[in-house]
Amino acid sequence: MNIEENKVNEDMADDDDEESGEMPKIENDDEELNDEELKVEAEGDPKEKKVPVGKTCLPGIVYLGHIPPRLRPKNMRNMLSLYGEIGRIFLQPEDRSVKRKKKKAGTKACSFTEGWVEFRDKRVAKRVAASLHNTQMGARKRSRFVSDLWNIKYLHRFQWCHLSERLAYEMTVLQQRLRTEISQAKRETNFYLANVEKSQNMDKLRKKRERKGEKIEEKTWNFTQRCTEDEIQMSRLRKQTMSKKNLLKAQDKARDIQQKSQSNVSLLAKIFNSSKAKD
């Protein structure tokens, strides 16, 4: 019995060794295959071609020098979106003085003077500026803007931040100008009110003195009159060290010369009139 049990135990151990030796070999093969597949997936198939990565699209800005009346940013976007993708649009409104004049005239419509349009790709912006410049805005006869022409220019190396900085600078300048005007108006009003109060106080003092019977000295304005031409000539001649007699003689000579010139004019008139009468 013991011999048979030992044989059975040896057979069971051999079976266990065979099973334990075969199983880990299969698992190692699977792991090696998984590593190779991962390498192939990471590196990619050598037969497949790599797709070239395109350049980044830089935005380009176009300047509009003329904007017809009744044209709004929405209309501008619809008109230019046919040629390419559009980003931001800014249209400069009219000056406030022009708006006031229009309000007085009875028109409330607001129009724009100039504008800037940003295209997503600057190459598209260059093509649009080159092709649409000096062409009709409206393609159809019934459109509002058939009689208007595009006035487009591409701005090289111009970015949207430059425009925003310029607008911010103009706003600060306008606010500063308004502040100075307001401060000047305040000074003028304060000066006027101070003079009014001063005049009222002076009137009260004058009335009090009149009641008391005191004499009131009214202030008079002293001013110098400008010299006449004769006085200017006399002063010039005095500077030249001339006496009064010589001055009188010079004046007499000037009068004689004027009289002679007048007499010559009369003689010439008589001569020409007589010749016309004979004809």
Side-chain angles (χ1 to χ4, degrees):
M1 292 293 291
N2 292 325
I3 294 165
E4 291 177 355
E5 287 177 359
N6 290 327
K7 287 181 180 180
V8 171
N9 290 325
E10 286 175 2
D11 294 332
M12 291 291 288
D14 293 331
D15 294 334
D16 292 329
D17 292 331
E18 287 175 0
E19 289 176 1
S20 63
E22 289 176 359
M23 291 300 290
K25 285 181 182 178
I26 293 166
E27 289 178 0
N28 290 327
D29 292 334
D30 292 336
E31 287 177 2
E32 289 175 3
L33 290 169
N34 290 328
D35 293 335
E36 289 177 358
E37 288 176 359
L38 289 169
K39 286 179 183 178
V40 170
E41 288 177 0
E43 292 176 359
D45 293 334
K47 294 180 181 179
E48 291 180 2
K49 294 181 180 179
K50 292 182 180 180
V51 179
V53 179
K55 294 182 180 179
T56 57
C57 292
L58 296 173
I61 295 170
V62 167
Y63 173 73
L64 301 171
H66 169 69
I67 294 170
R70 295 184 296 172
L71 187 128
R72 299 290 177 268
K74 185 178 179 181
N75 299 330
M76 185 66 70
R77 187 178 289 278
N78 292 331
M79 291 167 75
L80 293 176
S81 61
L82 300 172
Y83 306 101
E85 189 178 358
I86 291 171
R88 290 169 284 189
I89 294 173
F90 177 76
L91 301 180
Q92 182 69 34
E94 287 180 335
D95 196 13
R96 293 182 180 179
S97 61
V98 179
K99 289 181 181 178
R100 289 171 190 168
K101 289 179 183 179
K102 283 187 175 181
K103 282 184 180 179
K104 287 181 181 178
T107 57
K108 295 181 180 180
C110 177
S111 57
F112 302 94
T113 56
E114 56 186 357
W116 291 265
V117 180
E118 183 186 27
F119 284 88
R120 296 295 184 188
D121 191 356
K122 68 178 184 180
R123 290 171 289 183
V124 176
K126 287 179 182 178
R127 287 178 207 149
V128 169
S131 60
L132 291 182
H133 187 59
N134 284 333
T135 58
Q136 289 183 350
M137 282 190 175
R140 298 177 182 178
K141 293 182 179 179
R142 293 183 181 180
S143 65
R144 297 177 183 174
F145 316 114
V146 173
S147 59
D148 294 308
L149 299 176
W150 287 105
N151 187 4
I152 300 179
K153 184 180 179 182
Y154 176 75
L155 302 176
H156 293 277
R157 296 181 181 178
F158 188 81
Q159 296 178 0
W160 198 261
C161 61
H162 299 155
L163 178 62
S164 60
E165 287 173 1
R166 180 65 182 174
L167 293 171
Y169 173 73
E170 288 179 357
M171 281 297 294
T172 52
V173 169
L174 192 141
Q175 288 176 0
Q176 190 174 2
R177 190 177 67 188
L178 290 172
R179 285 172 192 162
T180 53
E181 289 178 357
I182 290 164
S183 63
Q184 188 176 359
K186 285 181 179 179
R187 286 174 192 168
E188 289 176 357
T189 52
N190 292 328
F191 180 73
Y192 176 75
L193 293 171
N195 287 328
V196 169
E197 289 178 358
K198 192 185 285 186
S199 65
Q200 289 175 357
N201 293 327
M202 289 174 73
D203 289 334
K204 288 178 182 179
L205 290 170
R206 189 181 64 186
K207 287 177 182 179
K208 284 181 181 179
R209 288 179 181 177
E210 285 178 356
R211 288 172 188 172
K212 290 179 181 178
E214 295 180 358
K215 290 182 180 180
I216 300 166
E217 293 180 359
E218 293 183 357
K219 291 182 179 180
T220 58
W221 296 97
N222 296 322
F223 60 92
T224 56
Q225 190 174 359
R226 292 179 66 183
C227 298
T228 60
E229 290 184 359
D230 295 332
E231 291 176 354
I232 291 165
Q233 289 178 1
M234 291 288 284
S235 64
R236 286 177 182 174
L237 293 170
R238 282 174 186 173
K239 287 179 182 178
Q240 293 175 2
T241 63
M242 291 181 71
S243 62
K244 289 183 180 181
K245 290 181 180 180
N246 292 327
L247 289 171
L248 293 171
K249 287 179 181 179
Q251 288 178 356
D252 292 334
K253 283 182 181 180
R255 287 172 188 171
D256 293 335
I257 290 164
Q258 286 179 358
Q259 288 177 1
K260 285 179 181 179
S261 64
Q262 289 177 359
S263 63
N264 291 328
V265 170
S266 62
L267 287 169
L268 291 168
K270 286 178 182 179
I271 290 163
F272 285 111
N273 290 326
S274 63
S275 62
K276 286 180 182 180
K278 286 178 181 179
D279 294 335

